[in-house]
Amino acid sequence: MTDTTTGLEDVPAAQRGDLPIFNRNATGLVRELGVVHQTIFSCSGTGTLGYGVLIVLTSLAAFPRANLYVVMPVVLVLGTPILITYALLSSAIPRIGGDYTFVSRIISPNVGFAANLCLFCSTALSAGIWAWWASTQALNPILTVIGSVTGSHTIVTWGAAFSSSHQWVPFITGLVTIAIVVALAIAGMRIAMRVFTVLFAIAFVGFVIDIGALLFTSHASFVHTLTGVAGTGAYAHTTAIGARTVAQGYSVKDTIGALYLAMSAVMYAYWGAYTSAEFKGANHRSRQLSTMLGAGLGQGILVFIALIVLLNTVGHAFIVSAVQGNFTAPGGSTIGTAGYVYFGSLVLTHALVVTIVSLMYLGWFLPGQFINEAMAYRAVLTWSFDGLLPKVFAKVNDRTHTPIPAIMIAAIFAVVGLALSTFTTKFLAILGVVILFNYIPAIFVGLAAVLMPWRRPHLYRGSPADWRIAGLPVTPIVGAASVVIVAGMIVVAFYFHNEIGLTDTPAVLGLTYHQLAWILPLLVGAISVVWYRLAVWRHARRGVDMKLAYTMLPPD
């Protein structure tokens, strides 16, 4: 693919930035991902479909009077400009680095690095969280579901072994999943995405079976089945508790609060931007739009359908009460982690079918873990090419076409995240603060889209981002909308800080989680400034102006 012109072709090489910090003319990555694999990668960016249902369903615990029939359509509308923004910039600059490359080349290196470092801190450690979840949020609830529905005390006991109360089992399980993901990442994106696509497909089939079973089960039949498992009066008792809240009617305030959590079911499909250097035809606007919008909106619609089925078959008041912990029947603790699997299994009843379909739920977790590690090692790779890290981290294996040193750095952070998740009681709450970091780069990507036609006209004019509808420039318009939407989500997070876990209770060094929510981004920003200036100084001592690297696009 021919590089987008930089406007520096007539400048002498020593001045225009043919810097010795680049150890090759290309990354060594290969454009081997087709539309299907790229779409699955983007889908996994949202935490996978099963996680989307989970996060929206459990938002009722924090916002019990939220109207999910309003929340999901609004989220689909709000997520669209964000996905279009990333898709257009990815097609115009189809290189490694995602938001870092967009912002550092269009706005400034300092801003791009600061925003990307925030995202790296969140995702690199989140890979460890997903590894921990493989035990506590996957194997634990699934085995509990199977044991509860089939009446097997032994399987329930096995499930309990994978809970957070047994620290070493989740830790060892997490190490195994990290090792699997690292091995697949090293083997190459084609192999990795084939495996993750199969896992995604398996989990999706299980999802369809579970939701389909509930769709064709009447509410009365469901109540009868639940009574057989939980005992007479269990449904009525649980529902009565939830009805106290539901009877008050939907709340505009709770509905707005639930938007913050529900956005994760749609918004993060933009992570497909990080594989643009490996996506066939990545410089085609239609391909980027179809994979990111297809992933984000497609999953959002499926989550909405699943929620409609659950609310109608299971009952709104019952679900509100259950996710708040008021359903104490066998397996009831899984409502917050595998709710649709639990309820679907109840109506499937046949032991073998329940076992197979429940195990399919496991397919969501390795793709979700991989997406976090993939972003982290691509960040390391891109920083190394720009001189922010030693060039050894830009080394790509000639046989597998994978950046093994960068992959190992991401794996180390994943192990740290896993250890903190397993052996501390405060880390998950702190991670809730760090998750806010994901919104910071999205604001600057939107701003980059607004500024691109004026600050980098040579990149914009004639590129896929130079798109007009009815004479209106799409890229700056959706970019401006993204800035407003993402900033609005941050405002919502701070307004509802107690409900989403950013409480005023002490966290570390006498600071509360609420205070950390704004202090940590400032701290990471300060670190990024020092890091960048030290890198510039180090290269200047060798007679190299590192800043010139940012006048060029990263290698393809």
Side-chain angles (χ1 to χ4, degrees), residues 5-67:
T5 179
T6 64
L8 299 171
E9 290 80 0
D10 297 327
V11 181
Q15 297 179 34
R16 72 171 184 252
D18 290 345
L19 303 181
I21 57 173
F22 296 131
N23 63 349
R24 61 175 75 192
N25 294 324
T27 61
L29 302 177
V30 176
R31 293 198 182 277
E32 56 188 350
L33 297 183
V35 170
V36 172
H37 288 158
Q38 180 72 354
T39 302
I40 295 299
F41 188 92
S42 297
C43 284
S44 299
T46 67
T48 67
L49 178 59
Y51 178 79
V53 176
L54 157 67
I55 197 68
V56 180
L57 186 66
T58 54
S59 69
L60 292 174
F63 305 101
R65 296 175 60 197
N67 187 341

Side-chain angles (χ1 to χ4, degrees), residues 355-386:
T355 301
I356 294 174
V357 174
S358 296
L359 288 173
M360 287 179 168
Y361 179 70
L362 297 174
W364 298 128
F365 286 84
L366 283 181
Q369 182 179 333
F370 174 71
I371 192 74
N372 286 279
E373 294 197 37
M375 178 274 155
Y377 73 72
R378 280 168 175 75
V380 171
L381 176 66
T382 314
W383 298 344
S384 181
F385 269 112
D386 280 350

Side-chain angles (χ1 to χ4, degrees), residues 174-458:
L175 289 178
V176 171
T177 65
I178 290 173
I180 292 172
V181 168
V182 167
L184 289 170
I186 291 174
M189 277 297 288
R190 180 179 296 177
I191 294 174
M193 287 312 302
R194 283 177 178 172
V195 172
F196 296 132
T197 298
V198 169
L199 290 174
F200 194 97
I202 289 171
F204 181 77
V205 170
F207 169 85
V208 171
I209 293 173
D210 278 321
I211 298 302
L214 288 167
L215 176 63
F216 292 103
T217 299
S218 68
H219 177 67
S221 178
F222 175 82
V223 173
H224 176 74
T225 302
L226 184 76
T227 299
V229 174
T232 303
Y235 184 88
H237 173 72
T238 304
T239 302
I241 300 173
R244 298 169 192 169
T245 299
V246 174
Q248 300 176 46
Y250 293 123
S251 160
V252 173
K253 182 177 179 180
D254 275 19
T255 299
I256 293 173
L259 289 174
Y260 173 77
L261 298 174
M263 276 292 286
S264 64
V266 174
M267 173 179 163
Y268 297 127
Y270 70 64
W271 283 39
Y274 292 102
T275 52
S276 286
E278 297 146 280
F279 181 23
K280 297 176 183 177
N283 59 337
H284 293 289
R285 181 172 60 227
S286 59
R287 282 202 158 206
Q288 294 283 9
L289 286 170
S290 65
T291 54
M292 289 194 199
L293 280 175
L297 301 187
Q299 286 209 146
I301 291 170
L302 289 172
V303 167
F304 190 24
I305 292 172
L307 292 169
I308 292 172
V309 172
L310 283 163
L311 291 171
N312 282 275
T313 301
V314 178
H316 186 192
F318 178 86
I319 286 182
V320 169
S321 183
V323 297
Q324 291 180 327
N326 298 316
F327 182 55
T328 57
S333 61
T334 66
I335 302 305
T337 55
Y340 79 83
V341 181
Y342 180 80
F343 294 133
S345 297
L346 286 182
V347 298
L348 287 169
T349 66
H350 191 282
L352 180 60
V353 175
V354 168
T355 301
I356 294 174
V357 174
S358 296
L359 288 173
M360 287 179 168
Y361 179 70
L362 297 174
W364 298 128
F365 286 84
L366 283 181
Q369 182 179 333
F370 174 71
I371 192 74
N372 286 279
E373 294 197 37
M375 178 274 155
Y377 73 72
R378 280 168 175 75
V380 171
L381 176 66
T382 314
W383 298 344
S384 181
F385 269 112
D386 280 350
L388 291 166
L389 285 173
K391 64 183 180 180
V392 65
F393 295 110
K395 182 175 177 57
V396 173
N397 185 276
D398 292 328
R399 183 175 63 85
T400 63
H401 305 291
T402 52
I404 296 176
I407 289 171
M408 298 312 299
I409 290 294
I412 290 171
F413 274 87
V415 172
V416 171
L418 170 64
L420 291 171
S421 303
T422 306
F423 300 113
T424 68
T425 57
K426 293 184 177 180
F427 179 70
L428 286 180
I430 294 175
L431 185 70
V433 176
V434 177
I435 286 174
L436 275 172
F437 285 11
N438 294 347
Y439 285 89
I440 294 173
I443 288 181
F444 289 105
V445 168
L447 185 59
V450 172
L451 297 176
M452 187 181 187
W454 295 275
R455 286 187 58 82
R456 297 292 181 263
H458 57 283

Side-chain angles (χ1 to χ4, degrees), residues 73 83 155 202 233 269 320 366 381 410 417 448 457 463 476 493 499 538:
L83 297 177
I155 298 178
I202 289 171
V320 169
L366 283 181
L381 176 66
S463 76
E499 287 84 353
R538 181 172 67 89

